[in-house]
Amino acid sequence: MTDVVVAGGGLAGAAAACLLARSGRRVLVLERESVAAHKVCGEFLNTAAQQYLHALGLDPAALGGHRIGALRLVRGARVAEVRLPSAGMGLSRFRLDEALLAHAAAAGAEVRRGHAITAVRVDPTAGDAEKQRMHPAIALDIAGLPSLRTATLFLATGKHDLRGLRRTPARAPEDLVGFKAHFRLAPEQARVLSGHVEIIMFPDGYAGLQPIEDGSANLCLLTSRRRLMRCGGRWESVLPDLLHDSPHLRRRLDGATSLMPRAAAIYRVPYGFVHAPSAVDAPGVFRLGDQVGVIPSFVGDGMSIALHSASVAVEHFLADLPAAAYHRRLRRDIAGRIRLASALYRFGRWPGGQAVLMGLAAAWPGGAAIAARLARLPPRGVSQATS
Ligand SMILES: Cc1cc2nc3c(=O)[nH]c(=O)nc-3n(C[C@H](O)[C@H](O)[C@H](O)COP(=O)(O)OP(=O)(O)OC[C@H]3O[C@@H](n4cnc5c(N)ncnc54)[C@H](O)[C@@H]3O)c2cc1C
């Protein structure tokens, strides 16, 4: 009999499993991918995320992470460069997620891969903890395994909603498509990019380009579905179309070799979503990572929020506090930052907004550093959750 079932072995799920196992709890992780997979992500680890990983005993630099000290904002031919208030790190999710999941297994978590949870049912008549010992309230249907029951579910399926526990974003997600692909850049372009993350703006979105481990570079971009349709629905045609719009990106990718057989893709991310605790929430369900809040990706804060949520959820669970108390705490920690990032994001999508942001970054480099500080997790949040 397990104490906690963790749905999803991404960053939030694996981090939570690791902490639970270390505290002597029996934990089962169900991850739908049977092997390491690429995820759509800019792969920028901010300071808070690095601190959480260190607290878990994982050193992103030892995994090959590339130190990133500066941000370049690019629009057309204009480039503004600002030092980051504290260094970030470029590391692929392919490597990081796999390392963290292996870390959780080494700590004692049972990890079952290649098994997707297909539905969740919560029994509202399950009653108190004593009754739940006999008949836990949460029933899970799992591909390739018999159904099972648990009193506590850590819901960490990221962007994917589970039938029976779907998120309810306050506004409909925008019609955006995200792509991610790895490249080996030509030596001169790799040299110029080294130590930098570049945000390259287009009329209908933006791309993030940065070095990751082993001398590779990650290109992650968001563009409109309209552009995708115009390009026949194919990434192979979207990239040349974007390169036509951006001489900067064209120069960076000139002579580059693609390292992935095909780009990873994602549709309609619900940026700005923050779970609002309510009386109808299932009592034993703790939402983690993107299931509790989705910050616009240009801030590079989604992974630290995922790790923070794991840490705080485990604290609450071990202290026998209800999921509702955890959700209220998380909302206090992240809602303000997600609101701020969402407002900036919408401003950047407004025609003319990009030009204003670009002008501000060029005229006042310190402003970008202040914005980055405002958007990241308060150090107090990190230290409390990891101590
Ligand atoms: C375009 C884009 C760029 C981004 N760039 C950055 C960045 O540079 N830096 C940053 O910090 N954040 C970034 N983010 C955000 C970051 O990727 C997420 O916030 C983070 O991955 C959330 O972690 P998670 O553990 O909640 O979910 P995930 O990492 O998505 O993990 C969820 C896991 O659950 C598994 N799963 C899904 N469904 C099921 C199921 N039914 N049963 C079992 N398992 C299941 C999945 O296979 C996966 O392994 C970006 C996001 C986007 C969209």
Side-chain angles (χ1 to χ4, degrees):
M1 181 79 176
T2 55
D3 298 312
V4 179
V5 173
V6 179
L11 283 192
C18 194
L19 294 168
L20 287 164
R22 278 196 198 150
S23 307
R25 302 305 166 112
R26 290 157 305 184
V27 49
L28 168 66
V29 182
L30 294 166
E31 165 54 48
R32 69 175 187 174
E33 300 288 345
S34 48
V35 290
H38 287 288
K39 285 182 178 154
V40 177
C41 183
E43 307 190 326
F44 176 86
L45 281 165
N46 67 8
T47 321
Q50 293 174 59
Q51 285 171 331
Y52 273 116
L53 291 169
H54 277 289
L56 289 164
L58 216 57
D59 177 1
L63 291 173
H66 181 108
R67 188 180 185 281
I68 292 179
L71 160 75
R72 280 196 198 115
L73 215 50
V74 184
R75 184 168 183 266
R78 291 190 71 189
V79 180
E81 182 161 328
V82 291
R83 301 292 318 157
L84 293 173
S86 49
M89 191 157 282
L91 180 63
S92 74
R93 297 295 301 274
F94 192 87
R95 186 169 289 183
L96 174 61
D97 288 32
E98 203 55 17
L100 196 51
L101 202 51
H103 207 58
E110 184 187 353
V111 177
R112 310 230 27 196
R113 304 189 66 155
H115 297 289
I117 298 173
T118 52
V120 183
R121 287 177 309 281
V122 182
D123 178 357
T125 62
D128 60 21
E130 193 49 47
K131 286 200 194 123
Q132 284 227 29
R133 255 188 272 284
M134 305 304 297
H135 191 73
I138 303 164
L140 305 173
D141 291 342
I142 306 158
L145 290 176
S147 302
L148 63 80
R149 301 190 80 92
T150 180
T152 306
L153 176 70
F154 276 24
L155 182 56
T157 51
K159 283 122 200 125
H160 312 274
D161 284 331
L162 283 188
R163 190 138 54 89
L165 288 175
R166 291 192 198 289
R167 288 168 296 182
T168 46
R171 51 197 294 167
E174 287 176 69
D175 224 7
L176 288 175
V177 193
F179 289 103
K180 190 280 276 290
H182 289 168
F183 293 90
R184 186 165 307 284
L185 302 186
E188 176 56 14
Q189 295 304 320
R191 189 189 65 73
V192 180
L193 185 65
S194 178
H196 294 77
V197 53
E198 295 188 337
I199 304 280
I200 304 155
M201 298 188 251
F202 306 118
D204 64 338
Y206 70 92
L209 181 70
Q210 66 168 27
I212 52 170
E213 70 269 15
D214 302 336
S216 323
N218 178 37
L219 174 69
C220 182
L221 59 90
L222 282 171
T223 186
S224 62
R225 211 170 119 83
R226 187 149 16 112
R227 187 192 292 261
L228 177 66
M229 292 299 113
R230 203 176 64 221
C231 295
R234 300 176 67 244
W235 156 253
E236 292 75 10
S237 310
V238 170
L239 185 58
D241 197 57
L242 283 167
L243 295 185
H244 183 260
D245 279 0
S246 170
H248 181 92
L249 190 56
R250 199 161 61 236
R251 191 165 56 250
R252 287 282 180 267
L253 293 189
D254 190 24
T257 316
S258 169
L259 297 176
M260 282 167 50
R262 86 167 75 93
I266 193 166
Y267 300 88
R268 290 172 68 82
V269 183
Y271 287 136
F273 164 76
V274 181
H275 177 64
S278 89
V280 296
D281 281 351
V285 176
F286 292 70
R287 290 178 178 269
L288 272 53
D290 282 354
Q291 284 290 318
V292 75
V294 183
I295 195 160
S297 34
F298 73 92
V299 190
D301 207 14
M303 290 193 270
S304 59
I305 289 180
L307 294 166
H308 179 67
S309 67
S311 178
V312 178
V314 171
E315 261 177 16
H316 279 66
F317 173 76
L318 294 178
D320 256 338
L321 292 168
Y326 154 74
H327 287 128
R328 282 195 296 274
R329 156 78 192 272
L330 243 278
R331 202 175 160 81
R332 279 200 303 279
D333 287 353
I334 65 175
R337 285 177 307 123
I338 292 185
R339 258 198 307 276
L340 176 67
S342 301
L344 263 176
Y345 167 75
R346 279 196 295 277
F347 184 70
R349 297 215 70 201
W350 166 70
Q354 288 187 352
V356 174
L357 290 177
M358 189 72 212
L360 273 175
W364 185 36
I370 292 171
R373 268 204 192 95
L374 286 174
R376 75 174 190 218
L377 274 176
R380 193 179 53 85
V382 175
S383 55
Q384 274 182 352
T386 54
S387 57

